[in-house]
Amino acid sequence: MNKLFAFVVLTLLFISCDSIKEKVHNPVGNINELGLLPMPDSIVLSDCAFIIKEKLNVNNKGLSSIVQQGLKNFAESNGVEIIKEEEFKKEHCIQFKKNPSLKDEEYILVVDAENITVEASSDAGFFYAIQTLAQLVVTQNSNIIIPGCTIIDKPKFSYRGMHLDVCRHFFDVDFIKKYIDLLAIHKMNRFHWHLTEDQGWRIEIKAFPKLTSIGSKRSETIVEKNFDPYVGDSIPYGGFYTQDEIREVVKYASMRNVTIIPEIEMPGHALAALSAYPELSCTGGPFEVGTKWGVYEDVYCAGNDSVFAFLDKVLDEVCELFPGEFIHIGGDECPKTRWKECEKCQNRIKTEGLKDEHELQSYFIKRIEKYLESKGKHIIGWDEILEGGLAPKATVMSWRGESGGIEAAMQKHQVIMTPNDICYFDHYQREPVEKEPLAICCMTTLEDVYNYNPVPDTLNKEQAMYIIGAQGNVWTEYMKTGDQVEYMVLPRMCALSEVLWGKNSSSGFENFTRRLDVHKNRLKSKGYNCCE
Ligand code: ACM
Ligand code: ZN
C-alpha cells in the first residue's frame, strides 16, 4: 500500500516536472551532498529543480523587514538581483504564505520546477526557510539551481545561543556583525554579549562616563600564562561600544532573528567598574583594571545602597538599549572575602536577617531582579545564583556542569545549559594540543559537542520542560582576534546548532561530518576561519 502510494506521488512529481517548458532535473543524488546544517526535521527530494536566472522573482511588497533582509542576503551571496516591484510576475516565483497553524520559527518549504513556496506563521519561520534555501543552492554552468524538495522544519529548543566575551579581548562592531551572521546561518537565535568584566567595561553608560573613560582601558595584558612570576606585555589595551553602535548591532541582530542578551556582571567580576568608581567597593580602593585572568577579590559592596542606585541607573540605560526580555546579571565567581570584613556588608546581613555571605549574594541578586522585573525584564544568572536561594523568576545558566541546571529545573526555574565540559569553546578542540593555538585548558571535541543532549536523563518529563536550550560560551583570554574566535567556534558551533535545532532520525555523527565537509566550504567562501 505504501509502495503504491509512493509510486503515485513520484509519478505525479515526474508529470509536474515534465510539464514545464524548460526542464531542469534535480542535480542532487544524495541529500548529504547539500551539506544542510542544521539538518531539517524532514526533507524529501523530488526529481525536478527550480532555476534562478539573473533575477530573483519575488514580490517584496508586504514582506517584513526580516524577510526582506533574508532575501537580500540570499540574492547578494548568489550574485543575483531581486526583481523590481513592477517587473514581478506570478509565474516561476518565490511566494510567501502565512500559515497560522505552524509554530513560531517553524516553516514548510516546497521547491518544484514552477515555484518556491514558503509557509510559516512568523517572520522567523520565513527567515529560516530562506537560510535553508541558501544552503540548497547548487551552481551549474553559472545557473543557480534549487533542487526540488519538500521540507518541513522546526526547532527542538527555543533558546539556541552563542556567547562572546568582549572584555578579555575586544571585538569591533564589524566582527560582532559577522558573528551574528554566523548565528543566523546556523538558525541560532540568542547572542549573549558579555560586556563587563574585571579586565574591561565595554558599554557606554551616559550616567557614568568614567566606566568607559577609565574602566574600558587596562595598562597591559598578561603574556600567555605567565601568572607567577607575572609577565605583562606593557601594551595599553582598550575599547568599548558607544550606545549608537549598540543600537546598530541590536537592529542588525533583530533583522536576523537574533535577540541579544547583554550581560552586566555583578556582584563579582567588577574590577573595571570599581577602578572607575572605587567608592562602590567595600574598601574604597584604589583599583586598576585587571591585566591578568582569573577571579579578583574586590567586588561591589553589598551593604552600600549607593551600589544599587548605581546599578539601577546602569540597568536603566541597558534596558533602553536592549529590547529583549532577558538581562544577564552574571552572579558567578564572587569571592566573599571583602564582604566578610566589611562593616556595611555585615550590617546588611544583620538587618536583613541573613544567615551568611551566600545569603547576602542572594539578597543582592533578588534586589536587582526586583528592579528589573519592575521594568518588565527577567534575569538570567550563572548557576551560583542558586546559592543562598534563587531569585523568584530567575533563569539559570548552568556552567559548572549540569547539576545547577538540574536543581533549578527541579525548582521549576527555566534553565539554559552551558556545561563547561561540552559548551566551552575556549577549550582545545583536537590533539595534539601543542600544535593548536594556546587555549585555557581541557579538551572538548567536535564529537563531544555533537553527542550532547541538553536534557539530563535524571529529569522527569515535567522538569525537562524547564530546559529551554543551550549555549556555546566563548571566553577570550587566549583569543586576541576575530580570526581566532572563528577558529575556536567553527565547527563546534555547527554541531551545537544541530543539537539545538534537533537531530533528525537520519543524522548521527558520521552523517554530520559528511555534511560538515560541504558546509565548511560554504563558511570558508563567506570568509570564516574554520578549524579543519
Ligand atoms: C564562568 O565561566 N565563570 C561563567
Ligand atoms: Zn561591603
Side-chain angles (χ1 to χ4, degrees), residues 269 332-333 382 384 399 424 475:
H269 286 295
D332 60 319
E333 298 181 318
W382 300 109
E384 285 92 331
W399 74 279
Y424 272 41
W475 303 102

Side-chain angles (χ1 to χ4, degrees), residues 293-394:
W293 321 128
V295 173
Y296 288 83
E297 305 281 7
D298 287 290
V299 302
Y300 290 116
C301 176
N304 182 348
D305 280 339
S306 52
V307 166
F308 293 96
F310 163 83
L311 287 171
D312 289 354
K313 276 201 183 139
V314 168
L315 291 170
D316 285 345
E317 294 190 30
V318 172
C319 291
E320 274 292 316
L321 289 167
F322 295 94
E325 68 172 311
F326 287 121
I327 306 285
H328 200 304
I329 49 74
D332 60 319
E333 298 181 318
C334 178
K336 310 294 185 290
T337 330
R338 298 289 182 259
W339 290 359
K340 281 187 178 150
E341 282 160 18
C342 170
E343 208 179 301
K344 286 191 187 126
C345 286
Q346 291 306 313
N347 197 34
R348 177 86 74 198
I349 289 177
K350 265 196 223 110
T351 54
E352 293 295 327
L354 307 172
K355 200 171 79 201
D356 56 15
E357 288 73 22
H358 291 294
E359 288 200 359
L360 183 58
Q361 153 124 353
S362 170
Y363 165 87
F364 196 113
I365 302 295
K366 283 177 183 160
R367 186 159 164 177
I368 293 293
E369 181 191 61
K370 198 168 168 202
Y371 186 70
L372 283 171
E373 286 286 330
S374 78
K375 297 175 75 71
K377 302 282 190 185
H378 299 305
I379 65 160
I380 301 178
W382 300 109
D383 58 53
E384 285 92 331
I385 67 168
L386 279 151
E387 295 162 11
L390 209 42
K393 297 197 172 157

